[in-house]
Amino acid sequence: MSEPVFLPAGDTALVVQFGEAVDAAVNRQVRHVAAKLRELSLAGIVDIVPTIRSLMVHYDPLLTRSSALQSAISEILHHQHEGEDGYRLWSIPVCYEGECAPDLESVARDMKLTPAEVVRGHTVEPQEVLMMGFLPGFPYLGLLPEAFDVPRRFEPRVKVPARSISIAVRQTTVYTVESPGGWHLIGRTPVEFFDPARAEPILVAAGDQVHFQPVSMADYEALRKDVEAGEYVPVVQDIAPGEGA
């Protein structure tokens, strides 16, 4: 893994770039540094924003300097551990049929696979939440098998239904509310990943893993009624360090 690069972003932010490509190991390093930096509670830090391969630290230049932050981050990197972290593993039902999956057939053709093979590739292993962004509670997950390295849609949709499961560039996402979007829609979950009425509005966090479970349209509709009635609780396990597959 290459050495991180420190880049100024004006006079109130510092960007730490950990790599050039989307890589799970790089992403874990980003999240590790972000977590340790929060624990330090250094004076002058206004916000810490982790992305898939970089970290932006906003700071008050009257209280700290970019050089001091760089030194603190370098110290974190020097002492970072190589072991695994614990995480939460979510089992999330997804319907890959009919109106829930408007792009599945075309994506399968482009990938030179059958729709069933696309579903299998999407569900065979849990996917790691690399970062949150774009919409409230919106997770970017990956990395999917290489066959899923497909570009975004040439023409984005004006409206993507809430809870749609999408894919592009070996990543998968969950649209938490209806919005425009340019990724391929291959399924839909009955589970709300963002619900402002919940005690914890956002379901998952960076570092969690999500195992998508295929369900029929009938099961999807039944589960959706349970969700709307407040009678459905997503299945989640706390996986201790070293217990993962």
Side-chain angles (χ1 to χ4, degrees):
M1 192 177 297
S2 60
E3 289 294 319
V5 177
F6 294 89
L7 303 168
D11 59 359
T12 61
L14 174 69
V15 172
V16 191
Q17 185 170 299
F18 291 84
E20 296 290 342
V22 176
D23 180 273
V26 168
N27 182 251
R28 291 185 192 110
Q29 189 179 35
V30 172
R31 297 200 313 266
H32 173 75
V33 172
K36 292 300 181 183
L37 199 57
R38 289 191 182 99
E39 288 177 7
L40 291 176
S41 300
L42 297 176
I45 291 182
V46 175
D47 197 10
I48 299 170
V49 185
T51 70
I52 290 179
R53 61 182 183 85
S54 65
L55 180 70
M56 176 174 274
V57 183
H58 296 270
Y59 63 92
D60 183 340
L62 298 179
L63 298 176
T64 190
R65 295 183 180 182
S66 176
S67 57
L69 295 176
Q70 184 170 332
S71 296
I73 293 169
S74 296
E75 186 69 12
I76 292 171
L77 290 168
H78 180 70
H79 290 99
Q80 70 179 335
H81 72 290
E82 298 296 332
E84 295 181 359
D85 292 324
Y87 58 90
R88 295 183 298 175
L89 174 62
W90 299 85
S91 294
I92 299 295
V94 176
C95 178
Y96 295 90
E97 300 174 7
E99 65 181 16
C100 289
D103 295 333
L104 181 57
E105 294 277 353
S106 61
V107 165
R109 285 195 300 270
D110 291 343
M111 294 171 63
K112 297 181 172 55
L113 298 173
T114 66
E117 287 171 329
V118 174
V119 173
R120 193 176 306 118
H122 192 255
T123 59
V124 66
E125 297 286 349
Q127 298 298 313
E128 190 165 351
V129 181
L130 304 174
M131 64 170 282
M132 308 293 290
F134 179 55
L135 297 168
F138 185 103
Y140 290 84
L141 303 101
L143 291 172
L144 291 165
E146 290 185 7
F148 285 79
D149 193 12
V150 294
R152 294 170 176 82
R153 287 172 53 89
F154 181 72
E155 293 185 2
R157 286 182 170 86
V158 176
K159 291 184 179 180
V160 173
R163 307 183 314 283
S164 291
I165 308 296
S166 68
I167 61 166
V169 292
R170 294 189 65 189
Q171 295 177 59
T172 187
T173 66
V174 184
Y175 283 84
T176 52
V177 298
E178 183 182 276
S179 74
W183 291 39
H184 307 278
L185 310 184
I186 66 165
R188 194 177 305 164
T189 178
V191 178
E192 298 287 355
F193 272 60
F194 173 68
D195 181 357
R198 241 177 2 221
E200 294 291 339
I202 294 174
L203 187 67
V204 302
D208 288 358
Q209 293 194 20
V210 177
H211 200 175
F212 295 110
Q213 309 287 344
V215 297
S216 67
M217 181 65 77
D219 287 341
Y220 166 85
E221 291 174 348
L223 288 168
R224 185 60 195 154
K225 289 179 181 178
D226 289 343
V227 170
E228 291 174 340
E231 298 174 353
Y232 178 82
V233 178
V235 177
V236 60
Q237 297 175 265
D238 288 316
I239 307 298
E243 287 186 359

